[in-house]
Amino acid sequence: MTISLCRLEDTTVTCRTLGLLVTLTLRILVAPLAAEVQQATKVYRIGWLSPGFPHPDHGPPVDAFRQGLREFGYVEGQNLVIAYRGAEGRIERLPDLAAELVQLQVAVMVAVGTAATRAAQGATHTLPIVMTGTSDPVAQGFVASLARPGGNITGLSNLMADLPSKRLEILKETVPHSARIAVLVNPDNPPAKSVLNTLTVAAQALRLHLHVVELRHAEELDTAFAAMTQEGADALMVLSDPLLMDNLLGRVADLATKSRLPAMYDWKMYVEAGGLMS
């Protein structure tokens, strides 16, 4: 199974595709059983591992994932159970949560983001893992190649190395007078360093000055926006991550509006929450 490259910045499309990958994995796993006996009442168990919050009704990604599964006949409460596990922003909990899902004998584990994928990889070398929101899975050591992943991991790669510079370019075109761009980032998110390096190179080419504002805790958000205003930022780039930022998207979009900062986001769900563009 090849790795899908997510060029569409649409979380709904991404997570419905994720549902398809999980469905394919389930069908591969149960094919030998189906050849022997019809299991119309069999209930399948999927593990969902996230660095964020485990609540099953949290946000468009989970809704789209469920919808994708429903379209292929897997319905929660009927023939499907999804075991949600979230680290609530404490990534050091992810290995234990991944081990817990393995102990539950889930048929397949969905890992959201790089940190969760690494925890899942450490917990099992046999259980199928479907990753999402992961930057450069080859460099991370998750797969051998995009065409032939090998091992027990497949899923979606979000091209984090290619998109940030294009987002900055579009933001500059949208706000042509801008000279100072604030970048709101959670430095504890594993891809953050490489994304910032890419943005720095792009900013030099565009003759822009980047003001990096780090956000590690939700309660620091108001202070972060105050710092942007104090530094005279003309516009804003928000680097999403499932650990922290994606759980604050409504507040981030609202503060950007109140601060009169035209903002570029990674995903459509930020726009749906009131953000300017993605």
Side-chain angles (χ1 to χ4, degrees):
M1 187 180 293
T2 60
I3 303 294
S4 296
L5 296 175
C6 289
R7 293 183 180 275
L8 292 177
E9 297 188 62
D10 187 325
T11 305
T12 299
V13 172
T14 298
C15 288
R16 289 179 68 181
T17 303
L18 188 66
L20 170 60
L21 289 173
V22 171
T23 298
L24 289 173
T25 304
L26 287 173
R27 289 183 176 179
I28 291 170
L29 291 173
V30 304
L33 298 174
E36 297 178 9
V37 62
Q38 182 69 29
Q39 296 194 354
T41 59
K42 180 175 176 63
V43 177
Y44 301 97
R45 186 185 296 270
I46 293 173
W48 177 279
L49 181 65
S50 168
F53 291 84
H55 194 282
D57 295 321
H58 182 74
V62 175
D63 293 340
F65 176 65
R66 289 164 159 173
Q67 178 60 31
L69 289 170
R70 280 195 295 269
E71 291 173 1
F72 289 94
Y74 295 94
V75 182
E76 280 187 282
Q78 296 182 18
N79 61 348
L80 177 68
V81 174
I82 302 179
Y84 298 94
R85 296 294 185 272
E88 299 181 354
R90 296 163 53 196
I91 59 175
E92 68 275 8
R93 296 184 57 207
L94 285 170
D96 289 339
L97 294 173
E100 184 178 328
L101 289 173
V102 173
Q103 290 297 317
L104 287 175
Q105 298 183 340
V106 296
V108 57
M109 190 187 311
V110 177
V112 181
T114 301
T117 303
R118 191 168 305 286
Q121 182 186 40
T124 177
H125 297 292
T126 56
L127 181 72
I129 298 168
V130 178
M131 62 184 173
T132 181
T134 301
S135 175
D136 200 346
V138 176
Q140 295 287 347
F142 297 145
V143 298
S145 71
L146 297 182
R148 298 182 181 275
N152 61 321
I153 302 177
T154 187
L156 306 176
S157 174
N158 57 16
L159 295 176
M160 288 293 288
D162 301 323
L163 292 175
S165 57
K166 189 62 178 179
R167 293 190 184 108
L168 184 61
E169 180 183 337
I170 294 173
L171 182 59
K172 173 63 176 176
E173 291 175 358
T174 305
V175 192
H177 70 273
S178 59
R180 298 177 65 84
I181 308 295
V183 181
L184 184 64
V185 59
N186 175 11
D188 294 332
N189 188 34
K193 184 177 180 180
S194 63
V195 173
L196 287 174
N197 288 339
T198 300
L199 283 175
T200 299
V201 174
Q204 290 172 349
L206 294 169
R207 298 182 179 179
L208 294 172
H209 173 78
L210 297 184
H211 175 60
V212 177
V213 180
E214 296 184 348
L215 182 73
R216 285 186 168 89
H217 306 285
E219 57 269 22
E220 299 171 352
L221 191 58
D222 289 337
T223 303
F225 272 90
M228 297 176 205
T229 302
Q230 185 175 356
E231 287 294 325
D234 303 308
L236 168 66
M237 284 194 67
V238 178
L239 306 187
S240 69
D241 73 278
L243 181 67
L244 175 65
M245 212 72 70
D246 292 355
N247 299 312
L248 301 172
L249 72 174
R251 286 184 59 198
V252 171
D254 183 55
L255 284 169
T257 301
K258 290 180 178 178
S259 302
R260 303 182 66 83
L261 287 173
M264 167 68 79
Y265 303 90
D266 290 354
W267 301 103
K268 181 180 177 180
M269 63 183 181
Y270 282 82
V271 177
E272 292 174 337
L276 178 61
M277 58 185 174
S278 67

